[in-house]
């Protein structure tokens, strides 16, 4: 029993971190689909097929709710999954354009996300719904999620850290000037759950004044609200929650990432599908 959470890899740990803070007594089953990643530069059919398979597996484990801790999978599959599982509360992750537009003073907002998220009709509809609230500078960040995955695997080696810095530098440079002056980007949306793990690198590149906006905490709050009416104990009782980690790829990578970013030192089981 508990909440199922999945991502293409280690990125969803940034959401799990927030979920754990919001629901300290909740049980979570996390799957990193590293054996079939990255999602962001693959076709939609692949992401939909994987999202369905992971959801089916989590339902077999008895989860009461599902958090899609991946912007790319949310964009590709959340509507379909909700239609297929009408009884299951499903919470997704979307680039936080609206909060970012509200925060921005210059009216120029950068959006970093995967190519697949930015190209999706769901993202397009979100953008259209905001009209002229801000000018959004969209940057498909090819290679960045993969570099973050490799870094988790190689336990933060200097070489993988350099890859992350190079990818962040390339993508921020492509977006233009950052800062608080007219015409500069003063707010940057992290529209992929991997990117919060590169926040320090981004901060060095764009300066101290630019606001970084990610979605982990908002998703965790929304999950708590959705579960409030629907879930009886154990989520509500006082026992400490349990976290179970699974990966369709290298178990060592998820284990290292969970230790580093979640300060959670549990076993990781490998899934073969
Ligand atoms: N973490 C995923 C997201 O939020 C995507 C990473 C990938 O490309 O696999 O979009």
């Amino acid at each position: 029993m508990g909440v199922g959470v999945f991502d293409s890899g280690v990125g969803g740990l940034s959401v799990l971190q927030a979920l754990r803070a919001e629901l300290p007594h909740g049980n979570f089953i996390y799957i990193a689909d590293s054996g079939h990643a990255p999602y962001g530069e693959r076709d939609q059919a692949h992401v939909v097929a994987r999202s369905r398979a992971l959801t089916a597996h989590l339902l077999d484990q008895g989860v009461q709710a599902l958090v899609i801790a991946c912007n790319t999978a949310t964009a590709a599959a959340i509507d379909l999954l909700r239609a297929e599982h009408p009884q299951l509360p499903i919470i997704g992750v979307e680039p936080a354009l609206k909060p970012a537009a509200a925060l921005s003073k210059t009216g120029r907002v950068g959006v970093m996300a995967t190519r697949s998220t930015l190209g999706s009709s769901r993202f397009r509809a979100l953008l259209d719904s905001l009209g002229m609230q801000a000018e959004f500078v969209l940057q498909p960040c090819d290679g960045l999620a993969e570099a973050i995955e490799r870094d988790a695997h190689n336990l933060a080696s200097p070489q993988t850290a350099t890859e992350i810095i190079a990818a962040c530098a390339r993508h921020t440079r492509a977006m233009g000037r950052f800062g608080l002056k007219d015409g500069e980007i003063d707010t940057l949306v992290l529209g992929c759950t991997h990117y919060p793990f590169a926040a320090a690198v981004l901060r060095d590149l764009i300066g101290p004044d630019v606001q970084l906006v990610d979605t982990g905490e908002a998703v965790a709050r929304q999950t708590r609200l959705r579960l409030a009416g629907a879930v009886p104990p154990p989520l509500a009782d006082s026992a400490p929650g349990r976290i179970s980690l699974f990966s369709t790829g290298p178990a060592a990578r998820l284990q290292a990432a969970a230790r580093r970013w979640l300060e959670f030192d549990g076993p990781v089981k490998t899934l073969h599908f």
Side-chain angles (χ1 to χ4, degrees):
M1 299 287 265
V3 179
V5 184
F6 77 81
D7 176 45
S8 64
V10 301
L13 292 180
S14 65
V15 177
L16 184 59
Q17 205 169 33
L19 284 167
R20 206 160 62 138
E22 194 72 36
L23 291 160
H25 308 302
N27 295 327
F28 297 100
I29 301 178
Y30 182 91
I31 307 181
D33 198 20
S34 308
H36 304 269
Y39 285 179
E41 291 151 55
R42 302 287 287 269
D43 61 74
Q44 176 137 342
H46 171 80
V47 181
V48 169
R50 291 309 301 162
S51 301
R52 278 177 140 158
L54 296 165
T55 303
H57 180 84
L58 287 164
L59 282 171
D60 283 347
Q61 306 305 305
V63 300
Q64 299 147 298
L66 177 70
V67 176
I68 307 175
C70 174
N71 293 263
T72 310
T74 299
I78 196 167
D79 290 338
L80 188 106
L81 292 176
R82 282 181 173 151
E84 287 179 350
H85 306 284
Q87 308 304 332
L88 181 70
I90 302 182
I91 297 97
V93 185
E94 261 174 358
L97 300 192
K98 199 171 178 184
L103 284 170
S104 176
K105 299 272 188 294
T106 63
R108 234 175 129 69
V109 171
V111 183
M112 296 173 73
T114 67
R115 186 167 289 281
S116 175
T117 297
L118 295 179
S120 68
S121 48
R122 200 178 166 86
F123 180 80
R124 194 46 57 185
L126 176 65
L127 201 58
D128 290 347
S129 75
L130 295 174
M132 305 301 285
Q133 286 185 33
E135 198 181 332
F136 294 99
V137 181
L138 310 181
Q139 180 62 26
C141 293
D142 295 349
L144 180 53
E146 263 183 287
I148 292 168
E149 284 282 321
R150 271 197 296 275
D151 192 48
H153 194 42
N154 296 322
L155 300 171
S157 78
Q159 191 205 328
T160 52
T162 307
E163 281 178 37
I164 295 176
I165 295 167
C168 286
R170 191 169 67 248
H171 294 306
T172 50
R173 203 178 311 120
M175 298 173 85
R177 286 206 327 274
F178 287 84
L180 303 183
K181 294 205 274 296
D182 273 358
E184 293 181 334
I185 296 170
D186 70 348
T187 309
L188 180 59
V189 174
L190 305 184
C192 166
T193 54
H194 281 70
Y195 303 166
F197 296 129
V201 173
L202 289 166
R203 172 64 66 214
D204 278 350
L205 289 162
I206 62 180
D209 301 327
V210 175
Q211 316 186 68
L212 293 176
V213 184
D214 85 79
T215 349
E217 282 171 23
V219 168
R221 259 195 318 276
Q222 207 190 330
T223 305
R224 181 172 52 72
L225 295 174
R226 287 292 297 278
L227 293 181
V231 178
L235 279 173
D237 76 11
S238 59
R242 212 175 43 246
I243 294 181
S244 311
L245 301 178
F246 297 88
S247 176
T248 60
R253 180 191 298 180
L254 180 60
Q255 193 159 25
R259 204 177 291 137
R260 180 168 159 204
W261 291 320
L262 236 52
E263 289 169 16
F264 174 77
D265 203 3
V268 175
K269 294 202 184 99
T270 305
L271 297 172
H272 301 280
F273 69 92

